[in-house]
Amino acid sequence: MKIGLALGGGGAKGLAHIPMLEVLDELNITPHHVTGTSIGAIMGALYCAGLSGNKIRGIIKKMILPKKTSLKNTSLKKVINKDALKWIDFIDLDFKGKGILKGDNFIEFLHDNMGISTFEELKIPLSVVATNYWTGEQVVLNSGELLPAIKASMGLPGVFSPITINNQLLIDGGGVNPVPHDLLTNCNKVIAIDVMGEKEYNPKHKIPNLVDAVLGMFDIMQISIIKEKLNHTPPDIYVKPDISGVEILDFYKAEKVFKKAEKTKETLKKEILSMTKQATLTPPQ
């Protein structure tokens, strides 16, 4: 049985992918193919490079440990939660009009932990989704240089700088395919992990600032795309961790995300066991 795994986008909420990857490790299951968008591309790359879910958890904890920041006197803290600045050194600033953050330091951090630079070096095939800014079309990257592809997939407009690959200006893949399970056509069983979570509704909340409004609108758009894809090409297993109160840059809330994802972790384990048992009992056609 060839199992495909789709890891969706969702910023810091995407840390919930880690407990889901730990389920595969616990069940001794290796996906035949992994697809990822944005944070899903990041987690997918680490996993496909051969790192276990538990190892990735350790790397993320190391990344978000409180540390001194050089942004005390910048205006960035006016639009980003001050606690989020604890890990900001990994995503260096870009004040040249392309985005708030460049992400080069973070990409270098990933490279240091993966130890590889190309798709061909991965132990599990990976496809990364980005969006062609000018045409609005989906771009699937699965060969050649790995790190630029990841950077393109996480290129949220206005936040991270876009990147040019093969003469295409690429931005966040969430604009076209937030949970790319429909790309796993070479697998006979597909697992989709949606980490968009839920927004906490409070009518007393003040009007969002510019960054919150842009990111919130992007979330709404992605949720709509996911619903349509689920209606047309439903995966065999679809799970959505119940995550709320976590915004796109709230990586310092990692422990909260992990805790929120525990219930879904158990659900995923039960569904995979049921799926594999059914596949074993079903005679070949």
Side-chain angles (χ1 to χ4, degrees), residues 12 67 69 71-72 74-89 91 93 100-101 159 200 206 209-212 215 245-253 256:
K67 56 189 299 172
T69 175
L71 302 179
K72 292 182 179 178
T74 74
S75 60
L76 183 62
K77 65 181 182 179
K78 295 180 181 179
V79 294
I80 296 179
N81 186 299
K82 64 180 181 180
D83 291 320
L85 299 181
K86 293 175 182 177
W87 61 280
I88 208 72
D89 285 345
I91 46 175
L93 295 177
I100 296 175
L101 308 167
V159 177
E200 289 184 315
K206 62 182 180 180
N209 61 38
L210 177 60
V211 172
D212 288 341
L215 298 181
V246 179
E247 301 301 330
I248 188 172
L249 296 177
D250 288 351
F251 286 89
Y252 69 99
K253 294 183 179 180
K256 177 179 180 178

Side-chain angles (χ1 to χ4, degrees), residues 3-49:
I3 295 178
L5 177 66
L7 304 175
K13 292 173 285 190
L15 295 175
H17 283 311
I18 296 173
M20 308 305 129
L21 294 174
E22 289 173 343
V23 170
L24 298 181
D25 295 335
E26 291 167 11
L27 298 178
N28 197 29
I29 291 176
T30 300
H32 177 71
H33 189 178
V34 176
T35 57
T37 295
S38 197
I39 185 70
I42 295 169
M43 296 299 168
L46 289 169
Y47 195 69
C48 292

Side-chain angles (χ1 to χ4, degrees), residues 23 26-27 264-274:
V23 170
E26 291 167 11
L27 298 178
T264 306
K265 179 179 180 179
E266 293 306 311
T267 298
L268 177 61
K269 182 180 293 187
K270 291 178 182 177
E271 293 198 24
I272 292 177
L273 287 172
S274 176

Side-chain angles (χ1 to χ4, degrees), residues 12 19 21 36 50 62 65 69 82 106 113 134 136 166 180 187 195 201-202 207 215 236 239 242-243 263:
L21 294 174
K62 178 182 177 181
L65 283 175
T69 175
K82 64 180 181 180
F106 180 60
N113 282 278
W134 294 114
N166 297 329
C187 302
V195 293
Y201 174 69
N202 186 340
I207 296 175
L215 298 181
D236 297 280
V239 294
D242 182 16
I243 304 169
K263 183 177 180 179

Side-chain angles (χ1 to χ4, degrees), residues 172-190:
D172 199 297
V176 289
N177 202 346
V179 187
H181 56 83
D182 57 318
L183 300 182
L184 294 165
T185 55
N186 60 337
C187 302
N188 48 23
K189 295 294 180 182
V190 173

Side-chain angles (χ1 to χ4, degrees), residues 3-9 33-37 127-130 137-140 142 173-194 222 225-238:
I3 295 178
L5 177 66
L7 304 175
H33 189 178
V34 176
T35 57
T37 295
S127 294
V128 169
V129 176
E137 296 176 324
Q138 173 175 270
V139 177
V140 180
N142 51 26
V176 289
N177 202 346
V179 187
H181 56 83
D182 57 318
L183 300 182
L184 294 165
T185 55
N186 60 337
C187 302
N188 48 23
K189 295 294 180 182
V190 173
I191 301 170
I193 313 296
D194 176 0
Q222 291 185 92
I225 294 173
I226 292 170
K227 287 181 178 178
E228 281 299 309
K229 285 188 174 291
L230 288 174
N231 288 333
H232 288 87
T233 54
D236 297 280
I237 294 177
Y238 166 80

